[in-house]
Amino acid sequence: MSTQQPLSRIQWVQLTAAAGAVVAAAAAIWLTSQYLRADHQRTQLTRSAKKKYRELLSELSECKGILNYIDSVSMSRAQSIVSDYAKDTREPEASRRELAGIGEEVLRLMEKIDGVAPALVINAAGLEPWTEQDKELKELAVRQGLGQIFDLAGDIRAIRKGLIHRVERRAKKIDSLKRELERVIIQK
């Protein structure tokens, strides 16, 4: 029979220190893995939001191109419709239809711009669209490292707002040209 000898005080301290080191190493590994998991998730959400941002930016760029076309071609065409009718070279219904068609172009552009919602960037980051207005939710998202998402949404909002103002001015111009055409038709 073998009898086990009790551990000496030095052996007991060494064993306790080794067990403590193992526990500390395991805790460090677990904390590191949790940090890496959270960082990976944050990176994925940020990438998703940036991808949506680029898509929306592309749509807004397309809208700018359409607006530039409307400015360069359609608006001058609308003005010439009114002046041509005033010179007796056009039929009233044809003039009305063509002017209404240009108005429809402007309306379709406004609808396309309306479809570009800044909240889509926030939603792509896994956040609720109203997070930006709720102070506590926004602070939580910023603490989680998603603060730049709100900047991206703000950029989209600013570009969209500028385009909306420009399109509204064109719509008002088309409306004034329609009124002018009707005035000229009535005068004849």
Side-chain angles (χ1 to χ4, degrees):
M1 268 199 183
S2 116
T3 60
Q4 228 173 1
Q5 300 225 354
L7 296 174
S8 70
R9 185 165 180 81
I10 293 174
Q11 289 173 331
W12 182 255
V13 170
Q14 288 174 342
L15 183 62
T16 305
V22 168
V23 169
I29 290 171
W30 183 81
L31 287 172
T32 302
S33 71
Q34 292 301 313
Y35 171 78
L36 291 174
R37 183 177 295 128
D39 185 56
H40 178 68
Q41 183 179 14
R42 183 175 41 252
T43 301
Q44 283 182 322
L45 292 174
T46 303
R47 281 183 185 159
S48 176
K50 285 181 179 180
K51 180 180 178 186
K52 180 55 85 173
Y53 171 77
R54 286 188 301 272
E55 290 172 9
L56 295 177
L57 210 54
S58 175
E59 287 180 37
L60 288 175
S61 179
E62 183 180 330
C63 290
K64 281 181 186 179
I66 294 169
L67 183 59
N68 288 338
Y69 173 80
I70 288 173
D71 282 344
S72 65
V73 177
S74 298
M75 292 305 290
S76 61
R77 180 72 190 126
Q79 291 171 339
S80 70
I81 291 169
V82 175
S83 64
D84 288 351
Y85 185 79
K87 296 176 188 173
D88 289 331
T89 59
R90 293 186 59 93
E91 289 292 319
E93 283 306 310
S95 298
R96 285 182 181 131
R97 275 194 309 273
E98 196 167 349
L99 207 50
I102 295 170
E104 284 293 318
E105 285 180 39
V106 172
L107 181 63
R108 280 193 303 271
L109 178 59
M110 183 63 85
E111 289 171 351
K112 186 172 179 78
I113 293 170
D114 271 347
V116 178
L120 293 174
V121 173
I122 294 171
N123 197 27
L127 301 172
E128 296 298 330
W130 61 82
T131 302
E132 196 169 19
Q133 282 75 38
D134 188 330
K135 186 178 179 182
E136 291 176 20
L137 288 176
K138 186 174 182 178
E139 287 175 2
L140 177 64
V142 169
R143 280 195 307 269
Q144 291 174 346
L146 298 173
Q148 68 180 347
I149 304 306
F150 300 111
D151 295 336
L152 297 176
D155 289 347
I156 294 291
R157 188 174 292 105
I159 294 168
R160 182 175 175 254
K161 184 177 179 180
L163 278 173
I164 288 172
H165 287 304
R166 287 178 61 194
V167 172
E168 284 174 344
R169 285 194 303 266
R170 296 334 174 267
K172 287 177 185 176
K173 180 67 174 175
I174 293 293
D175 288 342
S176 72
L177 288 172
K178 285 180 182 178
R179 284 191 301 273
E180 186 178 337
L181 178 65
E182 291 303 319
R183 186 181 50 78
V184 170
I185 290 173
I186 291 172
Q187 286 178 354
K188 285 190 171 187

